[in-house]
Amino acid sequence: MVSERWEPLAFKARVDEVLCDFVAREADQFAAVDPALDPVARQLEQAVAEGKRLRASFCYWGWRAAGQPDSDVLVRAAASMELVHAAAMVHDDLIDDSALRHGRPTAHVALRIALRRRPRAVNAARSLAKLVGDLLMSLAGQLFVSSGLPAAYLSRARPLWAALARELIAGECLEILHTGAAPDTSASLKVIRYKTAKYTVEQPLLIGGALAGAGERLREGYSAYGLPLGEAFQLRDDLLGLFGDPERTGKANLDDVRGHRPTALLAETWRIAGGEEREQLRAVLGRRDMDGDGLEAVRALMLRLKAPDRIEEMITARVEEATRCLHDLDVPGHATEALTALAQSAAIRHH
């Protein structure tokens, strides 16, 4: 059992233990079907090997803020949020053709290496990675329903799972549909809200609250806190994607520009830019052969236009909105402290 004081590292260790044990058993059962499946099984385990465990944390505090005590079975249920995230990242890396995550080859790249001696290894690896993501999403539901919580509690959260999947996939689809299009801040913020903000903060909080039997006012408060904070989280990712240290982020800085992705950072740069500056951007956006010099030119342009400063202002405003909403809620003091700390760790980070 944990103390009333929020100890994120201790909580992360509890979630890691649940995930590693659960996925290792599932991966072993999967590989037992046929030895050829072993590389795929190992990617299931790799998908959950790293992570901040923010989604599990928000689910846990959705439960605790509703007045419920610490519970190992609740931690198991909360850990299922991390399997949703793992599934989304495998699919996202595949869609974006990203080569690195947490400093390691992404699933489709690792599987391509494992299959390098086979015909059409690239296509086969991409197909296998898609199935890894699908299986992880299935395992998320399995871990949730087998967590040990009473069936009556689980049934309260079931509709939220449908909403979580629908909104997450809608956000991914919107990102694909807006990729390569003229940058637009409103469109980028809508992608952020549905692709990241909801399943990172709002929905885990609501699921934890539903499990705990939270009332309507508390649930509304969770959304008022969760949506702006989730947006701040992704806006920080936008900045780190271009300006972060790859040694710390574990991702390449070139990906967003090469992919011409609809990030708010790019959209704000475009909005502020004049005609000549937009021509500079047009010359590099979406170019798969863009190198480090091209990246430096884009970063220099963004800094000159103060677009990163604008994103920082957007982050600050959203964190302040979230914490104001939090302090309007009638929740235990330790829950307020924990959710305040989580707001800071979600939005003020280097990876």
Side-chain angles (χ1 to χ4, degrees):
M1 303 291 279
V2 295
S3 68
E4 292 299 297
R5 183 173 174 273
W6 176 229
E7 297 174 350
L9 291 179
F11 180 79
K12 181 181 183 301
R14 294 171 76 189
V15 174
D16 286 347
E17 183 178 6
V18 170
L19 286 174
C20 292
D21 289 351
F22 177 77
V23 175
R25 286 196 303 273
E26 291 294 331
D28 287 346
Q29 290 180 334
F30 182 82
V33 173
D34 191 288
L37 294 171
D38 189 67
V40 183
R42 299 292 71 83
Q43 287 309 305
L44 290 171
E45 293 182 287
Q46 193 60 60
V48 299
E50 302 279 350
K52 304 174 188 69
R53 310 314 186 202
L54 281 173
R55 292 153 189 87
S57 299
F58 285 117
C59 184
Y60 176 84
W61 283 106
W63 164 272
R64 295 295 308 276
Q68 294 285 4
D70 177 65
S71 161
D72 287 337
V73 293
L74 188 280
V75 172
R76 284 182 61 80
S80 67
M81 301 291 101
E82 298 300 328
L83 287 169
V84 172
H85 177 54
M89 291 304 94
V90 170
H91 285 151
D92 197 48
D93 290 338
L94 185 58
I95 291 165
D96 293 341
D97 200 23
S98 297
L100 291 174
R101 182 166 293 275
H102 299 302
R104 297 190 181 94
T106 50
H108 64 281
V109 173
L111 286 163
R112 185 173 71 216
I113 294 168
L115 299 174
R116 61 186 177 276
R117 299 183 186 280
R118 303 189 187 189
R120 303 186 66 191
V122 172
N123 288 339
R126 294 181 66 83
S127 297
L128 290 171
K130 178 181 181 297
L131 294 168
V132 167
D134 293 346
L135 183 50
L136 285 164
M137 186 64 85
S138 174
L139 292 177
Q142 181 182 333
L143 178 58
F144 186 76
V145 299
S146 65
S147 62
L149 287 168
Y153 289 28
L154 296 171
S155 67
R156 293 195 293 250
R158 189 170 294 120
L160 293 172
W161 272 85
L164 183 154
R166 180 174 59 249
E167 291 170 350
L168 171 57
I169 292 170
E172 284 280 10
C173 290
L174 284 173
E175 183 178 56
I176 292 167
L177 292 167
H178 288 297
T179 292
D184 177 83
T185 300
S186 295
S188 294
L189 290 174
K190 191 165 193 178
V191 170
I192 282 172
R193 173 163 287 208
Y194 284 91
K195 183 191 169 190
T196 304
K198 282 178 165 285
Y199 99 93
T200 297
V201 187
E202 184 199 26
Q203 290 290 4
L205 276 168
L206 289 173
I207 288 171
L211 292 171
E216 182 179 357
R217 183 175 179 277
L218 183 54
R219 296 196 305 272
E220 289 173 352
Y222 285 168
S223 292
Y225 162 88
L227 282 172
L229 181 57
E231 290 176 1
F233 175 86
Q234 183 56 45
L235 288 168
R236 176 62 62 199
D237 257 16
D238 283 359
L239 281 175
L240 291 173
L242 228 63
F243 290 94
D245 177 2
E247 290 293 319
R248 301 186 74 176
T249 65
K251 295 182 280 189
N253 291 131
L254 288 163
D255 285 356
D256 286 349
V257 179
R258 277 180 175 169
H260 195 169
R261 295 174 191 159
T263 68
L265 175 58
L266 175 59
E268 281 296 288
T269 303
W270 186 265
R271 183 183 66 79
I272 300 165
E276 185 177 334
E277 291 154 337
R278 287 187 176 186
E279 284 303 314
Q280 286 180 257
L281 286 170
R282 282 193 189 97
V284 295
L285 289 175
R287 283 187 54 175
R288 304 304 295 177
D289 62 346
M290 193 182 77
D291 58 13
D293 290 340
L295 175 65
E296 285 305 317
V298 170
R299 290 200 284 212
L301 174 61
M302 289 177 166
L303 289 169
R304 189 165 69 250
L305 295 174
K306 300 189 183 304
D309 292 344
R310 172 61 185 143
I311 300 300
E312 289 286 2
E313 290 168 3
M314 293 166 72
I315 292 169
T316 299
R318 282 160 172 78
V319 173
E320 289 176 351
E321 179 185 350
T323 51
R324 276 198 309 272
C325 293
L326 176 62
H327 289 288
D328 289 338
L329 294 178
D330 182 19
V331 299
H334 60 273
T336 299
E337 290 174 11
L339 289 168
T340 300
L342 281 167
Q344 297 300 312
S345 61
I348 303 170
R349 55 195 168 87
H350 300 288
H351 61 90

